[in-house]
Amino acid sequence: MHKESKKILIINAGSSSIKWSLFDDKFSVEANGICEKIKLPEGIVTLKFNGKVYEDKLKLSDFFAATKKMVEQWKEHNVIKNFDEISHVAYRIVNGGPKLRETVEVTDKTIKYLQEAIDLAPVHNPGALEAIEAFESLFSKAKHTLHFDTSFHATLPKLAYTYPLNAKLCEELNLRKYGFHGLNYQYVTQRMQEILGKKSVNLVILHIGNGASLCAVQNSKSIETSMGFTPLTGIMMGTRTGDFDPSLIPYIMKHKNLTIDEVMDIVNKKSGLYGVSKLTSDFRELNIKISEDNEDAKFAFELYCTKISEYLINYLNKIEGKIDALVFTAGVGENQENLRTKVIEKIKLINLKIDEEKNQNAPRGKETLISSKDSLIPIYIIPANEELLIAKEANKFK
């Protein structure tokens, strides 16, 4: 009798959504999809399988209802025949806090630690906890694991993760730099080891998406990263400010009669490219406005690239020894050739050069070397693939 291959389910839960991918035992994606608008009047459950897209609209009262409908959709379209085909369920977690710093199995103890860290990721962690409970009830025989966006940065030295705040306060409240996008940084680091044929690599990785950060990698370990205690700090992003003077928060509250929550909503959701351009956080729309000579769009692009380049030159200086490569990754970094050109042009201290023919013609979704031969450091595009990394990590748990 033919034995069914086991499948690995990757779950990325937000406050009202569940993104998922289903891998086979050879780490190829068999299907993926999303449940959206959970707990809202009309939810959407989308499945992509065998080149087709299926969509159902219905009320999803909670994460369990969404999970149940998702699995019903799988059975209807023969994605799985029975629950036992799922051998592993792996959850992407934004921040596990100080007690969860590496991939772990789901247990009562690890769930308790994750609950204690809700304040560190108040948008994502509650949804993740609800999703875990729902999927555990449906896939009781599977191995369930937690994979953290902060884990790769557990190697940050004390000089990198310490804030110059009152030390006693920092100790009491675990105030420190955690860093994010770690799953993709780990994936990119491993791919660069394979591409360059080296056991360890020195890199500066630019993860530029709607959320964006940089990471300095020494001997394949994170030694510095731009996001901090939360994903708000660092470079300017799609809707987040990045670094700014925190004294602006009480100033805005006082002069605009706003609450702290209202100001934090502005700095997280209404700033960055969106706020500076007064138009959009979408680079495709921004590029159209730039081509129309819109001054706000041009300035927002210039400021965005400047903030990235300032962190880039800083991180290049942090790495001891030869730097093996600079890497652009994530949606904007992979797909916006004008951004790559502008960021590299702004580096004056060392000779970095992009081959514009390679840069302009870089195929979407492909690993590409885009630097010219006389560039002091090679420059690559490596597409983000956190889910593949998670699937391989989960498979180690038997």
Side-chain angles (χ1 to χ4, degrees):
M1 185 176 174
H2 177 70
K3 187 179 178 182
E4 290 276 357
S5 66
K6 294 298 184 181
K7 305 180 195 301
I8 302 169
L9 176 62
I10 312 299
I11 300 297
N12 185 2
S15 58
S16 60
S17 66
I18 303 171
K19 293 180 184 177
W20 62 271
S21 293
L22 192 63
F23 285 78
D24 63 20
D25 57 358
K26 300 290 191 296
F27 302 112
S28 294
V29 177
E30 288 195 345
N32 56 41
I34 185 170
C35 299
E36 299 173 272
K37 300 184 178 180
I38 300 169
K39 302 180 185 177
L40 296 175
E42 185 179 63
I44 306 169
V45 183
T46 305
L47 164 66
K48 295 179 182 178
F49 180 58
N50 279 345
K52 295 181 179 179
V53 179
Y54 306 96
E55 184 178 281
D56 294 314
K57 294 183 178 181
L58 71 164
K59 183 174 176 59
L60 302 170
S61 56
D62 54 27
F63 277 76
F64 185 80
T67 303
K68 191 176 178 183
K69 177 58 188 175
M70 188 177 96
V71 174
E72 286 174 3
Q73 200 180 50
W74 293 356
K75 287 194 168 184
E76 181 184 348
H77 300 290
N78 296 312
V79 177
I80 62 169
K81 294 181 178 65
N82 62 71
F83 290 171
D84 291 349
E85 290 178 46
I86 309 292
S87 62
H88 294 77
V89 184
Y91 306 90
R92 180 187 179 185
I93 308 294
V94 171
N95 191 347
K99 294 178 182 176
L100 295 172
R101 302 291 282 156
E102 58 185 29
T103 300
V104 293
E105 195 172 336
V106 173
T107 64
D108 289 344
K109 187 177 182 179
T110 55
I111 290 299
K112 180 176 177 289
Y113 288 156
L114 189 57
Q115 288 168 338
E116 290 172 1
I118 278 181
D119 280 353
L120 298 178
V123 174
H124 293 88
N125 280 4
L129 284 161
E130 288 189 56
I132 292 165
E133 185 178 0
F135 282 98
E136 275 200 306
S137 67
L138 286 175
F139 300 102
S140 58
K141 294 182 180 179
K143 186 71 72 175
H144 295 254
T145 49
L146 305 176
H147 305 254
F148 304 98
D149 245 343
T150 50
S151 292
F152 187 63
H153 305 302
T155 56
L156 288 176
K158 191 173 182 180
L159 278 173
Y161 72 68
T162 301
Y163 289 122
L165 280 166
N166 179 278
K168 187 178 179 182
L169 193 64
C170 289
E171 289 164 10
E172 288 175 356
L173 297 176
N174 292 307
L175 305 179
R176 54 159 291 165
K177 177 180 284 192
Y178 286 103
F180 299 90
H181 297 138
L183 292 164
N184 190 46
Y185 286 134
Q186 186 177 345
Y187 170 77
V188 169
T189 299
Q190 291 177 1
R191 280 301 300 138
M192 289 308 299
Q193 287 175 188
E194 293 164 359
I195 289 167
L196 300 174
K198 300 185 71 173
K199 289 183 179 179
S200 67
V201 287
N202 295 339
L203 310 166
V204 177
I205 307 172
L206 302 91
H207 180 112
I208 313 297
N210 190 48
S213 67
L214 277 74
C215 182
V217 177
Q218 176 95 50
N219 296 324
S220 294
K221 295 178 180 179
S222 173
I223 62 165
E224 183 59 284
T225 191
S226 57
M227 284 182 171
F229 182 72
T230 73
L232 177 61
T233 54
I235 61 174
M236 177 176 163
M237 301 175 229
T239 63
R240 299 183 193 128
T241 55
D243 294 340
F244 74 105
D245 185 343
S247 296
L248 289 172
I249 293 175
Y251 185 88
I252 294 168
M253 290 172 66
K254 178 181 177 181
H255 289 274
K256 297 300 290 183
N257 195 27
L258 298 175
T259 66
I260 183 67
D261 288 342
E262 288 171 330
V263 177
M264 292 309 292
D265 187 68
I266 291 169
V267 299
N268 274 294
K269 299 177 182 178
K270 299 173 183 175
S271 299
L273 268 181
Y274 173 78
V276 175
S277 70
K278 307 174 193 173
L279 297 163
T280 182
S281 63
D282 189 314
F283 244 90
R284 293 162 295 189
E285 295 174 12
L286 193 78
N287 282 333
I288 292 170
K289 293 297 181 181
I290 290 171
S291 70
E292 295 170 354
D293 215 28
N294 181 287
E295 290 299 325
D296 290 329
K298 289 195 295 183
F299 178 75
F301 175 72
E302 197 72 29
L303 183 62
Y304 188 80
C305 294
T306 297
K307 297 299 184 184
I308 296 171
S309 66
E310 287 172 352
Y311 264 90
L312 174 55
I313 195 66
N314 182 7
Y315 283 14
L316 288 169
N317 187 57
K318 289 182 180 291
I319 295 173
E320 296 179 11
K322 182 187 175 186
I323 299 171
D324 295 299
L326 308 183
V327 181
F328 285 94
T329 186
V332 176
E334 293 168 29
N335 299 318
Q336 299 300 325
E337 58 273 10
N338 59 336
L339 171 123
R340 296 190 295 263
T341 297
K342 179 64 74 172
V343 167
I344 297 303
E345 278 179 356
K346 287 180 176 289
I347 301 299
K348 312 294 185 187
L349 200 60
I350 59 172
N351 184 41
L352 298 178
K353 286 191 177 178
I354 281 181
D355 182 318
E356 274 309 321
E357 186 175 348
K358 291 179 182 177
N359 185 43
Q360 297 291 332
N361 298 312
R364 294 288 174 96
K366 299 291 184 182
E367 298 171 346
T368 310
L369 175 66
I370 59 169
S371 51
S372 61
K373 290 180 180 179
D374 56 344
S375 180
L376 187 64
I377 302 170
I379 304 169
Y380 284 82
I381 300 168
I382 302 292
N385 201 342
E386 301 102 322
E387 291 177 341
L388 177 59
L389 176 84
I390 293 171
K392 289 182 175 181
E393 277 194 344
N395 195 51
K396 294 174 184 176
F397 288 77
K398 304 299 183 184

